[in-house]
Every structure is written in C-alpha cells, then in structure tokens.
Amino acid sequence: MSALTSYTVSTFLLMARRDGATISDAAINAAIDRIGSEGTTEDTGNALVAAVAGHLGDGSADAIAAGLSGLLGGSLKQGVIDGSSREAAAASLRRARFGSQAPLLVWLLEQTGGGLSAQPVLVEDTSGPVTTIDPNPFNDIDEARSFHMEDFLTRFELAGSRSVGA
C-alpha cells in the first residue's frame, strides 16, 4: 500500500469528523484532536496516519471500505456515485458533494510505479472540473488536481466504480 493511500484515507477521516461523523477509535480521535489543538503539521499528520494504518488492511478498495465501515459505522455511505450510466454518475457525484463539508473518497485508475492501479482520491468540488484535494495537507506540497468530468468518470469506471462518503 502506498503512503499516499494512507494519507488520503486519514485526511478523509479528519474531514469526515469535522463534518460531524463519529469515529469509533480512540487513537484516531486523539490524533485528530491533536491536529485541532496543535495545528496541521507533518508531525500531527504522521500521528494520524499511524493511528489509521491498522484499519486499512492490504490497502485495497475492499479493505479500506471495510476498515472505514468499522470506524464510521452508520455514518459511512458506500456507493454514493451511481455508476449505472455516465449521466447518473455525474448527477450523483454533484448531488453527493452538495451541502457536505467532507469530501468523497473515490477510486480512480492511476498510473503508478508498477503500472496502473485503483487509487483513492478525495473529491472536493464538482461545480466545474472535478477537483480532488491534496491528499496530504500536512506537508507543504500542493497535490490538488482537476479533471474534466468525462476523464474523471472514465478513470472512476476503470477503477471499479467505488466511492464512499460520510
């Protein structure tokens, strides 16, 4: 599992809790509280990633979804993007983002060092191009990206049409 996956899922949990979701793990809650009191730094981010690591299994979409289900219980919504058609997917993606502070966790097909694989990203905005947020806000490297809706949906479909929200 890539370090970026760990940061992405940790950032998702941080933002879900800030949006009102309840997380059942005391160590994760303590790490998020530390971020709230000490600020967002590499040290506080690494502490959160370490607390989350044991819940990610092998880092596959199934393992991550199972770990998040255990942590968020009924707050976790799986399959928030309807993948039955491109139009339905675009509409449900926009609907899911409307009125929520927490980003969606969506898997996209990405090129990695070992070829192509499904990687989680955090969807922040769908009002124009689909914008994914920096998966690691704890460092000074801005890794936010934008995709045209068609490109985003193609990558989403090729990665298995997996999405979760809180």
Side-chain angles (χ1 to χ4, degrees):
M1 170 177 37
S2 75
L4 196 55
T5 295
S6 299
Y7 279 99
T8 302
V9 176
S10 297
T11 302
F12 172 78
L13 286 167
L14 170 70
M15 296 181 82
R17 179 154 158 228
R18 286 183 177 169
D19 198 40
T22 301
I23 299 172
S24 64
D25 184 276
I28 293 172
N29 285 312
I32 291 172
D33 290 343
R34 184 174 167 215
I35 290 169
S37 65
E38 296 179 25
T40 304
T41 66
E42 283 195 66
D43 287 341
T44 58
N46 289 336
L48 176 58
V49 168
V52 170
H55 299 278
L56 303 180
D58 64 4
S60 68
D62 288 337
I64 291 170
L68 289 172
S69 181
L71 290 169
L72 295 169
S75 296
L76 185 70
K77 301 170 195 127
Q78 297 204 38
V80 294
I81 300 175
D82 176 2
S84 63
S85 72
R86 287 270 170 104
E87 294 78 22
S92 62
L93 174 61
R94 288 184 175 112
R95 192 171 35 256
R97 287 298 310 132
F98 184 75
S100 176
Q101 297 290 64
L104 295 177
L105 186 62
V106 175
W107 280 261
L108 298 181
L109 188 67
E110 299 277 22
Q111 185 172 351
T112 61
L116 298 174
S117 64
Q119 297 293 313
V121 298
L122 298 166
V123 176
E124 178 179 42
D125 187 21
T126 60
S127 60
V130 178
T131 304
T132 61
I133 65 172
D134 182 352
N136 182 359
F138 311 108
N139 64 20
D140 292 330
I141 302 168
D142 183 10
E143 298 167 304
R145 299 184 307 166
S146 293
F147 300 89
H148 293 288
M149 183 62 80
E150 286 298 313
D151 183 38
F152 178 86
L153 291 175
T154 299
R155 289 170 177 247
F156 171 70
E157 291 165 359
L158 291 171
S161 300
R162 300 290 305 262
S163 59
V164 298

